[in-house]
Amino acid sequence: MLWGFAFSAQKAASDVPPFTLGAIRSVIAVAFLAALIPALDKFTKNGRKILTDKKRPDLTKIELIGGSVAGIILAVASAFQQTGLGEGTDAGKAAFITALYVVIVPLASLLFGKRPPLNVYISVPIAVVGFYFLCIKQGFSLVTSDLLVLICALIFAAHIIAIDYFSPSCDGVRMSLVQFAVAFLVNAVLALIFEMPLNTHLIAERLPAILYLAIGSSGIAYTLQIVGQKDCDPTVASILLSLESVFGVIGAALFLGERMLAREYFGCAVVFVAVILSQLDFRDIGAALKIKKGKNENKT
């Protein structure tokens, strides 16, 4: 829900240059998490502190590496997403295009020698059909802003895979702190190169949206993703993550008054069906049906 509503905040702050916005929301997220960690350490009694006795950040090697990898990927993905929104893609539409990462993640497992189940091969063409109705305009042309958001979905798939790999060995909140520190550095350097001088008046006007992105979407939601993926079944986690697309459209209607054409709503529905279908296991469903059938026969 926090991610879905963030599309409206991103749209509201779409006139802030993407690297500048990314740097500001990331540094605020770092401050938020740095203030939160001591309280969490005390509550969980994990024996850790924000700083070691040698006054160094209390971070493990895997937290530094995992957070750095996730931070670089996140900075690049967010830049593509924010640029797409700034170039004209509606918040609701961007939410559904971004949800394609849930279909992409199982396909990416092929790179690691794992063959996805049959339902993934079925869901991919369904998602493509939904994307067509959602984004292809008259004349069969793809709007550039939609393409940027689609690239963002591809990169976010890598972000999910990276978190799945590193999070089991990390303190999720500390890994998230490193993630946003690195994302800040990447965005700040690019902002200094491409987006100077800084328009402080515009940033002040968009501050409510920026604060929501920094604390709600970044500090809380992205951190909960890392913590949740550590112990949650990947299928359940992916289905829940995909619901950001639904809340994205709801948020766009509630906060921005956006409306889409009937064909675009149909495309949203088709993409969402593909997202859910990509996470179902036909073998588990078949086994469950067999068990239920056997119980019914025994009763008879």
Side-chain angles (χ1 to χ4, degrees):
M1 182 182 71
L2 290 171
W3 274 352
F5 288 166
F7 284 99
S8 296
Q10 285 180 264
K11 191 68 176 179
S14 61
D15 48 358
V16 178
F19 298 128
T20 299
L21 179 62
I24 295 172
R25 66 182 288 188
S26 294
V27 75
I28 295 174
V30 168
F32 171 78
L33 292 171
L36 184 64
I37 286 174
L40 291 175
D41 287 341
K42 185 176 181 180
F43 177 77
T44 58
K45 299 179 181 179
N46 59 15
R48 300 183 68 176
K49 300 178 181 179
I50 190 69
L51 295 175
T52 65
D53 294 336
K54 296 181 179 180
K55 303 302 179 183
R56 296 177 180 176
D58 185 4
L59 299 167
T60 65
K61 183 178 180 181
I62 194 70
E63 287 165 357
L64 286 169
I65 295 173
S68 297
V69 172
I72 293 171
I73 297 172
L74 179 61
V76 176
S78 298
F80 274 102
Q81 187 181 66
Q82 189 63 35
T83 303
L85 284 162
E87 292 294 324
T89 296
D90 292 340
K93 184 188 292 184
F96 270 93
I97 297 174
T98 304
L100 285 170
Y101 65 69
V102 189
V103 180
I104 298 167
V105 169
L107 291 177
S109 63
L110 286 171
L111 299 175
F112 301 95
K114 297 180 181 179
R115 185 178 179 181
L118 176 63
N119 56 298
V120 173
Y121 293 102
I122 297 174
S123 64
V124 169
I126 294 176
V128 172
V129 170
F131 183 65
Y132 170 83
F133 281 101
L134 188 59
C135 301
I136 303 298
K137 307 301 180 182
Q138 292 182 354
F140 298 98
S141 61
L142 185 65
V143 176
T144 302
S145 61
D146 296 340
L147 182 59
L148 293 173
V149 180
L150 179 58
I151 294 172
C152 144
L154 292 168
I155 302 173
F156 268 127
H159 184 253
I160 293 172
I161 293 170
I163 289 176
D164 275 336
Y165 181 81
F166 289 107
S167 64
S169 306
C170 290
D171 177 301
V173 184
R174 281 176 165 80
M175 178 177 168
S176 186
L177 175 70
V178 176
Q179 171 181 246
F180 286 110
V182 172
F184 164 71
L185 291 174
V186 173
N187 279 294
V189 170
L190 293 174
L192 288 171
I193 296 172
F194 298 109
E195 297 176 352
M196 290 294 104
L198 192 66
N199 189 337
T200 55
H201 179 70
L202 177 62
I203 292 171
E205 288 183 343
R206 303 293 181 261
L207 189 58
I210 293 172
L211 287 175
Y212 179 84
L213 292 172
I215 297 175
S217 177
S218 296
I220 298 176
Y222 276 107
T223 302
L224 289 178
Q225 178 197 3
I226 295 175
V227 175
Q229 281 192 236
K230 182 175 182 178
D231 298 312
C232 185
D233 179 87
T235 300
V236 176
S238 296
I239 292 175
L240 293 174
L241 290 177
S242 72
L243 291 176
E244 69 170 317
S245 58
V246 175
F247 286 109
V249 173
I250 293 172
L254 288 175
F255 305 126
L256 302 179
E258 288 188 0
R259 295 293 183 270
M260 294 191 295
L261 301 174
R263 61 176 282 135
E264 292 175 315
Y265 278 113
F266 176 73
C268 287
V270 173
V271 170
F272 189 68
V273 168
V275 165
I276 297 300
L277 180 61
S278 72
Q279 300 305 317
L280 299 179
D281 192 327
F282 291 163
R283 293 169 296 183
D284 289 345
I285 295 173
L289 291 174
K290 286 182 180 178
I291 293 172
K292 184 176 181 179
K293 182 179 179 182
K295 289 181 179 179
N296 291 335
E297 290 176 349
N298 291 335
K299 288 180 181 180
T300 303

